[in-house]
Amino acid sequence: MRRSPRLLALVTAGSLGASLAACGSGEDTPAPAGGPIAVQATDTSCEVARTSTEAGTSVFAITNKGQKVTEFYVYAPGDRVMAEVENVAPGLSRNLHVELPAGTYETACKPGMIGKGIRGQFTVAGSAAPLTDDAALLAATESYSRYVKSQTGALLERTTEFVAAVKAGDVAKAKELFPIARTYWERIEPVAEIFGDLDPRIDGREEVTEEGLKFGGFHRIEKDLWIDGSAAKSGPIADQLLTDVKEIVQKANAEKLSPLQLANGAKALLDEVAAGKITGEEDRYSHTDLWDFNANVEGSKAAIAALRPVLQERDPALVKTLDTEFANVDATLGKHRAGDAWKLHTELSKADLKELSDAINALAEPISQVAAVVAKKKA
Amino acid sequence: MAKISRRRALTLAGVGAAGIAGTGAAALRFTADANAGANPDPVTGAVAFTGAHQAGIVTPAQDRLHFVAFDVITKDRDRLIRLLKEWTAAAARMTAGQDAGEIGAVAGIPEAPPDDTGEAIGLPPCALTITVGFGPTLFRGADGRDRFGLAARRPAALEPLPRFTGDTLDEALSGGDIGIQACANDPQVAVHAIRNLARIGMGTVSVRWSQLGFGRTSSTSTAQATPRNLFGFKDGTRNLKAEQEELLREHLWVQPGDGPDWMAGGSYLVTRKIRMLVETWDRSPLAEQETIIGRHKGSGAPLGLSDEFEEPDFTAVGADGEPLIPTTAHARLAHPDANKGARILRRGYNFVDGSDGLGRLNAGLFFIGYQRDPRTGFIPVQRSLAAQDEMNEYVRHVSSGLFACPPGVTGPDDHWGSALFA
């Protein structure tokens, strides 16, 4: 899991707006409707210059006049993160680009980067041509949505079995089902991360549990099973897990994904591998990281597969590279199969992990180029 | 957008870069001077990237180092050549104070990762040099395989180093198919260079080990004062200097006929990470420290003399009838007279990698030595030191590397290793 969602619509933080204009390469991105919207943030206030705008890509220019480091968010109803910019240090200005369809939103500054933030209403009216107006890109998102549906179905089924085993006190069965239920979670993790609090509740690790929040979810049960060797106290946590999974499944299936989310999601899944699975920190009690590793790669592959016709048309060389590197990851990972299952993280040597890390990096680099290909409007 | 300097990128970036503009402003003048004037500031200006020899060898030693050794993980020779071309272009840009890629850190489209990592925005070139070398394993793998059809082109001088008495080498910190030395007068500039080369190389090469260094421990120019190593002694008093062209031809640069043509004008690079047991050293009496080194700690002069640059007198004896400079002294054993005239151009750096978990500084000297042929340069000198040097009680050699550094890149159409892969 990640501490905060990263899979955002059309988001970049930084100083891109000005440099784009200066370099005359601005045709790649739609012109912001009505210019940047200034946001003056202090430790106690969040002044957004306009509270409404036209549909399309908006740019928020956030200036932190306070003493604390701040964040700025745009939320859709239900606190779904549309865009965020983190770590705006005092005195600094950052730009946030976001593609917003018509609707009502909330803006929020978070001085000190904690809490719900200082909220304000924000309305978007009118209509803009979304990227999915391109038939091939629309087909890509529809194809990936079907994948998400199939995976969430299995996730719910397997989590239900896992929860039942935990509640029945069957530690052996629960241990067996743990990495299997997680496979479906890990395949679609970037989608899950869209839903603010649900992701940390389901998949949060002990040290990233927010202040005031109890350590629960998959990894809490993992600790009970592997460290305590007992599920006696895990019942209520398992119940909560199932409730949360049901909610996320429902939300994920209702979610309209943008093609950029697919592209960034494919990359985010590999980043998950590079950051948490290679190191063994994700499944630190069970050491079943390779199950997650494989699932992340499969999920990434599914997103790229959905985009494939578009990529093939726009950048066939990139597709060739991706095919080669995916095959290399599969072959490298394949060395660590144990029957139908995977070796434990602790059974891998440092050299094994280095080789896996190299393979993931070799794939993640070209995958990081996919979003730019997708964003490019058809000539 | 090609050839944009970091300075220019900064102005274009406008309001978004306001946070760094304050720190950048003072530095910018230097960049402008470096580009405009004939005499760039030696500390902040740019060092020419092209030339007969690679920069970063006789270039006056900069203050900071980031060294990296890569393993080549591709089997595809063309892909390796492609990387060397991309690296050369990026290195040429970065040493001129520009971004690593043609687009730059902040000028690309929002959806794509920038082709420069950006931490050097606003910093002048800082005399950055990037020097590349090829390890023996690039020519033939540990399993004896001719990996890229280069086996026949491996110079005899690139034979892996022998094991020296007392070596406690960590294999994971040693060797490598390609070594790259980045030196600069600002650590951020050196780190930026290596980080971007590693980023560009992902999937083709894999970082095997790397080392940060500070406080050059040698002078490579007569214009520089002799610095001190972490034992507190002046180091490199008698080093080969850029101004000694005759000696450089004899001891530093590979001459035509020495071996394969692709190395003519190049040099062989030996790296050794030498951990210093500084806590025990610091407990030893001054007189013992000085006899171990063979020089006075304060002046750097040979024992019995008063000027740093005086020629040591190895025949002088003290009142006790023993040699004033002991036969086991470091300066005597390393002296050309004791090594058939062998001389090496050193440009090592101090390192401190934090502490070691026992509360001891994980510190020492990252030795870097260039020579025309390690078989007559580093190897005999180190053999003699390994066997007799009293200093061995206070040092451990933990990492070792040997790289053949080809001659310089001649111009925009040339690239690192072009003659090797031709």
Side-chain angles (χ1 to χ4, degrees):
Chain A
M1 63 90 48
R2 280 173 36 75
R3 195 177 161 78
S4 52
R6 167 167 53 176
L7 189 85
L8 308 167
L10 181 69
V11 177
T12 33
S15 52
L16 295 157
S19 52
L20 269 177
C23 298
S25 55
E27 63 269 21
D28 288 337
T29 41
I37 301 159
V39 179
Q40 295 265 15
T42 72
D43 294 348
T44 52
S45 68
C46 184
E47 285 173 34
V48 182
R50 293 201 309 274
T51 55
S52 65
T53 193
E54 296 292 307
T57 300
S58 295
V59 181
F60 292 87
I62 301 103
T63 306
N64 186 1
K65 300 268 189 194
Q67 303 295 316
K68 295 177 183 170
V69 178
T70 195
E71 293 175 337
F72 180 77
Y73 284 79
V74 179
Y75 289 108
D79 274 3
R80 190 160 61 82
V81 178
M82 296 300 289
E84 60 161 319
V85 50
E86 292 180 88
N87 273 315
V88 185
L92 217 65
S93 297
R94 302 280 293 275
N95 285 356
L96 178 66
H97 295 236
V98 54
E99 187 182 11
L100 295 173
T104 52
Y105 300 88
E106 278 191 324
T107 53
C109 300
K110 289 192 186 175
M113 305 202 289
I114 49 164
K116 288 184 65 75
I118 303 158
R119 301 287 183 116
Q121 295 294 320
F122 195 81
T123 319
V124 176
S127 64
L131 289 168
T132 44
D133 268 12
D134 181 322
L137 286 176
L138 179 63
T141 58
E142 285 173 346
S143 155
Y144 188 73
S145 292
R146 286 192 293 277
Y147 177 74
V148 170
K149 213 173 198 94
S150 75
Q151 297 306 306
T152 52
L155 170 66
L156 187 55
E157 205 172 293
R158 296 303 193 169
T159 307
T160 306
E161 286 173 29
F162 171 65
V163 165
V166 170
K167 294 192 73 181
D170 190 343
V171 173
K173 180 101 188 275
K175 279 181 163 182
E176 193 188 310
L177 288 170
F178 172 79
I180 294 168
R182 290 184 53 74
T183 294
Y184 302 98
W185 169 265
E186 292 286 339
R187 280 182 187 153
I188 55 160
E189 201 167 0
V191 178
E193 284 173 352
I194 297 171
F195 310 107
D197 279 354
L198 271 171
D199 167 42
R201 253 157 55 193
I202 294 170
D203 196 36
R205 300 198 295 267
E206 195 162 8
E207 77 282 4
V208 296
T209 308
E210 274 183 62
E211 214 179 326
L213 231 135
K214 271 177 76 176
F215 175 40
F218 272 120
H219 294 299
R220 167 62 197 274
I221 301 173
E222 179 197 4
K223 191 180 181 186
D224 291 349
L225 293 173
W226 269 271
I227 302 298
D228 298 348
S230 155
K233 286 183 289 185
S234 318
I237 298 158
D239 283 337
Q240 184 61 47
L241 174 66
L242 192 57
T243 306
D244 291 340
V245 165
K246 277 179 182 160
E247 189 182 342
I248 213 162
V249 162
Q250 189 207 355
K251 284 187 166 173
N253 288 328
E255 184 70 14
K256 282 255 177 293
L257 295 166
S258 92
L260 275 173
Q261 282 176 308
L262 266 60
N264 287 322
K267 185 186 87 71
L269 280 162
L270 298 181
D271 291 346
E272 285 278 340
V273 174
K277 274 72 176 188
I278 285 284
T279 56
E281 66 185 77
E282 172 105 25
D283 297 323
R284 63 186 65 162
Y285 315 113
S286 64
H287 309 301
T288 53
D289 300 273
L290 285 200
W291 274 260
D292 291 11
F293 186 130
N294 185 52
N296 284 159
V297 172
E298 285 172 341
S300 181
K301 205 185 282 178
I304 295 297
L307 289 166
R308 192 181 180 97
V310 181
L311 299 178
Q312 187 64 49
E313 189 192 316
R314 298 183 183 181
D315 194 343
L318 181 61
V319 175
K320 217 175 136 211
T321 305
L322 293 176
D323 286 350
T324 308
E325 299 300 349
F326 265 119
N328 182 39
V329 168
D330 284 344
T332 310
L333 186 58
K335 294 179 191 172
H336 306 293
R337 278 194 186 279
D340 289 343
W342 297 95
K343 284 186 197 160
L344 298 181
H345 187 272
T346 43
E347 293 175 88
L348 267 56
S349 71
K350 227 173 161 180
D352 291 336
L353 293 170
K354 176 87 187 304
E355 189 186 33
L356 284 169
S357 173
D358 286 343
I360 287 294
N361 283 336
L363 173 60
E365 279 297 311
I367 277 199
S368 74
Q369 306 298 333
V370 170
V373 178
V374 168
K376 223 174 217 165
K377 287 264 165 73
K378 249 184 171 169
Chain B
M1 226 21 229
K3 303 279 176 200
I4 185 165
S5 74
R6 288 200 290 255
R7 173 179 169 271
R8 181 106 177 95
L10 191 71
T11 20
L12 289 174
V15 62
I20 48 162
T23 51
L28 294 184
R29 269 175 289 128
F30 290 111
T31 317
D33 292 345
N35 291 340
N39 294 311
D41 185 296
V43 174
T44 57
V47 175
F49 179 71
T50 53
H53 310 294
Q54 288 196 65
I57 301 177
V58 295
T59 305
Q62 303 91 325
D63 203 49
R64 302 291 181 142
L65 166 80
H66 192 176
F67 192 96
V68 64
F70 292 100
D71 287 331
V72 177
I73 55 175
T74 185
K75 291 189 173 76
D76 182 348
R77 179 182 157 115
D78 291 337
R79 187 167 171 180
L80 174 58
I81 295 170
R82 206 157 60 233
L83 174 64
L84 290 168
K85 286 180 183 169
E86 285 172 35
W87 267 354
T88 308
R93 277 193 289 264
M94 289 191 287
T95 51
Q98 297 162 354
D99 282 335
E102 278 183 13
I103 298 166
V106 293
I109 64 170
E111 294 82 4
D115 66 8
D116 179 277
T117 53
E119 74 272 30
I121 292 175
L123 295 176
C126 294
L128 173 70
T129 55
I130 303 174
T131 314
V132 73
F134 304 118
T137 46
L138 186 71
F139 297 80
R140 208 180 271 285
D143 54 2
R145 213 159 27 89
D146 182 359
R147 298 171 64 193
F148 299 102
L150 298 172
R153 318 204 71 184
R154 185 180 68 83
L158 196 65
E159 181 73 27
L161 297 175
R163 191 189 75 83
F164 299 100
T165 310
D167 271 4
T168 50
L169 303 180
D170 179 348
E171 275 310 308
L173 290 181
S174 298
D177 297 332
I178 298 176
I180 299 185
Q181 167 200 285
C183 298
N185 287 314
D186 183 322
Q188 182 115 342
V189 169
V191 167
H192 169 262
I194 295 299
R195 175 174 164 193
N196 278 277
L197 296 178
R199 178 183 58 80
I200 293 166
M202 274 195 191
T204 309
V205 292
S206 164
V207 172
R208 183 179 174 89
W209 56 270
S210 73
Q211 183 65 50
L212 290 174
F214 67 92
R216 64 183 170 85
T217 61
S218 312
S219 317
T220 54
S221 163
T222 52
Q224 292 179 305
T226 313
R228 290 180 188 271
N229 61 29
L230 292 183
F231 280 157
F233 278 80
K234 290 198 174 207
D235 201 345
T237 296
R238 289 191 47 89
N239 202 18
L240 286 175
K241 304 280 200 293
E243 293 80 2
Q244 302 167 318
E245 286 182 26
E246 196 71 25
L247 287 175
L248 298 184
R249 253 196 305 281
E250 190 185 338
H251 295 285
L252 179 67
W253 302 122
V254 175
Q255 300 298 316
D258 280 357
D261 289 344
W262 68 267
M263 265 302 282
S267 192
Y268 292 92
L269 161 63
V270 170
T271 65
R272 303 281 288 185
K273 182 172 182 174
I274 306 170
R275 169 90 188 264
M276 289 174 166
L277 309 181
V278 294
E279 288 81 5
T280 47
W281 175 264
D282 294 344
R283 287 196 282 272
S284 60
L286 177 62
E288 186 188 329
Q289 293 183 3
E290 291 188 334
T291 53
I292 286 173
I293 302 289
R295 287 180 177 272
H296 291 292
K297 197 168 189 176
S299 64
L303 288 182
L305 301 172
S306 56
D307 183 80
E308 181 195 343
F309 294 99
E310 276 182 276
E311 194 58 34
D313 180 2
F314 293 120
T315 62
V317 287
D320 56 0
E322 292 294 316
L324 214 50
I325 300 173
T327 53
T328 55
H330 184 77
R332 180 193 283 265
L333 293 167
H335 195 274
D337 290 356
N339 296 285
K340 297 188 181 142
R343 300 192 65 170
I344 300 166
L345 181 126
R346 284 171 293 152
R347 45 161 44 242
Y349 286 85
N350 297 323
F351 73 85
V352 176
D353 296 348
S355 303
D356 69 357
L358 296 173
R360 309 179 303 182
L361 277 190
N362 188 351
L365 171 71
F366 188 73
F367 171 94
I368 293 177
Y370 287 93
Q371 63 244 279
R372 181 174 167 185
D373 190 335
R375 294 169 300 179
T376 52
F378 177 77
I379 293 172
V381 175
Q382 183 55 29
R383 272 211 175 107
S384 136
L385 290 172
Q388 305 173 66
D389 191 354
E390 207 68 48
M391 203 206 276
N392 289 329
E393 197 179 325
Y394 298 96
V395 299
R396 301 281 180 272
H397 287 239
V398 296
S399 149
S400 180
L402 174 64
F403 304 94
C405 303
V409 170
T410 54
D413 297 330
D414 193 14
H415 66 86
W416 283 338
S418 57
L420 170 61
F421 285 92

